[in-house]
Amino acid sequence: MKDNPSRPLYLVPYYLWIVLFVIAPIALVFYFSFLDLTGAFSLENYKNFFSSVYLRMTLSSFWYAFVITLITVIIAYPTAYWLTKTKHKQLWLLLIIIPSWINLLLKAYAFIGIFGLYGPANKLLQTLGTGPWQILFTDFSFIFVAVYIFIPFMVLPIFNSLDKINPALIDASRDLGASAFTTFRRVIFPLAINGVKSGIQAVFIPALSLFVITRLIAGNKVITLGTAIEQQFLVTQNWGMGSTIAVFLILFMIIIMMVTGQKEKGGSDNGKTK
């Protein structure tokens, strides 16, 4: 079959979109990262980024992103596995995804009410005789809310990977005498690892740049790369330093995507012999 000669024309809107809304913004961020407060060309911003203040902030961002991602995986994996065994799995999956449709700001304010000094959480603690506690503006509240927000984005790719596994492989493993744990370790987990990697990308990368819930839930006691960028652009008006932090954030994202890159494995329903 000959290629459609008009096909390149269909790609024009795509390439135009990529240039205007991906390449151009990144190029502008890179350009501004070399400007100081006076607008002069300088490498001072890059020098400042490697100071102890920004290095500690970067390590802190990675730590919080790691903890959030780890807890999310621990909760999402068994949840996704359970969903694949239920009768109405698509319905249950939809119920898990629906909260992600709600605006992030609305969810943040909802948790402010829940974790407030006179909120339901503290009323429950008072009933148990252990409250009230200062739950808001703590590491716990920040991590709890972040995990809640990112759970659907981890469950969905893991569910898709688990649901595609050929059941015959699991049956064969058990017929050969493998225990449930060995079957999971040697069959299920390796075949679903791409879903875990996709989930890590969908959680770890945004967790590095969180700034809304750091301000509303953590009370700015948690400083991430996203928070630093926001403060540099909107508070100190230092666009150069904010752009420099953004450049490194983009580099970190690229590295994470390369590390968690996917390789196709056999064993899915699509790989059955027909």
Side-chain angles (χ1 to χ4, degrees):
M1 183 181 294
K2 295 182 179 180
D3 292 336
N4 188 347
S6 63
R7 185 178 177 184
L9 294 177
Y10 300 143
L11 297 176
V12 171
Y14 169 76
Y15 288 126
L16 191 62
W17 177 275
I18 293 296
V19 170
L20 291 178
F21 299 105
V22 178
I23 297 177
I26 293 176
L28 283 174
V29 167
F30 189 74
Y31 168 75
F32 278 112
S33 69
F34 289 101
L35 303 181
D36 59 18
L37 283 170
T38 63
F41 181 85
S42 173
L43 296 176
E44 189 68 21
N45 295 324
Y46 286 88
K47 179 181 177 181
N48 290 337
F49 185 84
F50 288 99
S51 65
S52 59
V53 174
Y54 286 101
L55 288 179
R56 281 198 303 268
M57 177 199 66
T58 303
L59 291 175
S60 176
S61 297
F62 270 89
W63 170 249
Y64 282 112
F66 170 77
V67 172
I68 291 168
T69 305
L70 179 63
I71 297 174
T72 306
V73 170
I74 292 173
I75 296 173
Y77 202 105
T79 302
Y81 185 79
W82 171 78
L83 285 175
T84 61
K85 304 300 179 183
T86 57
K87 185 177 180 180
H88 304 289
K89 53 187 176 183
Q90 298 298 336
L91 175 61
W92 287 108
L93 183 64
L94 178 63
L95 293 176
I96 292 175
I97 294 174
I98 283 176
S100 66
W101 300 349
I102 302 173
N103 184 273
L104 176 60
L105 198 60
L106 292 178
K107 287 188 281 190
Y109 277 110
F111 275 105
I112 290 176
I114 293 171
F115 288 153
L117 195 60
Y118 303 102
N122 264 315
K123 286 184 179 179
L124 177 62
L125 292 175
Q126 284 180 315
T127 303
L128 298 175
T130 60
W133 288 0
Q134 177 61 49
I135 303 176
L136 270 180
F137 312 135
T138 61
D139 287 358
F140 167 79
S141 62
F142 169 70
I143 293 173
F144 184 96
V145 175
V147 169
Y148 166 79
I149 290 170
F150 288 128
I151 280 288
F153 302 102
M154 183 68 76
V155 170
L156 185 58
I158 295 177
F159 169 83
N160 288 334
S161 292
L162 290 172
D163 199 43
K164 290 178 181 177
I165 295 177
N166 190 340
L169 295 174
I170 300 175
D171 294 337
S173 175
R174 291 172 179 170
D175 290 343
L176 292 171
S179 64
F181 177 74
T182 302
T183 300
F184 171 78
R185 183 171 61 89
R186 302 294 297 273
V187 179
I188 298 175
F189 187 78
L191 292 177
I193 191 63
N194 281 344
V196 177
K197 290 180 178 180
S198 296
I200 290 174
Q201 290 180 3
V203 173
F204 191 91
I205 293 175
L208 276 178
S209 55
L210 284 173
F211 69 91
V212 173
I213 64 174
T214 55
R215 181 180 295 277
L216 297 178
I217 303 297
N220 275 349
K221 292 183 178 180
V222 174
I223 303 297
T224 64
L225 292 172
T227 308
I229 293 171
E230 180 206 21
Q231 290 179 345
Q232 293 293 339
F233 274 98
L234 300 181
V235 180
T236 62
Q237 297 290 308
N238 188 346
W239 286 30
M241 193 64 225
S243 298
T244 302
I245 300 172
V247 167
F248 281 99
L249 181 58
I250 293 170
L251 291 176
F252 295 148
M253 291 178 178
I254 293 173
I255 292 171
I256 293 165
M257 293 182 70
M258 291 175 62
V259 170
T260 57
Q262 298 182 9
K263 294 181 180 179
E264 290 297 326
K265 291 180 177 289
S268 67
D269 286 337
N270 295 331
K272 290 181 182 178
T273 303
K274 295 183 179 179

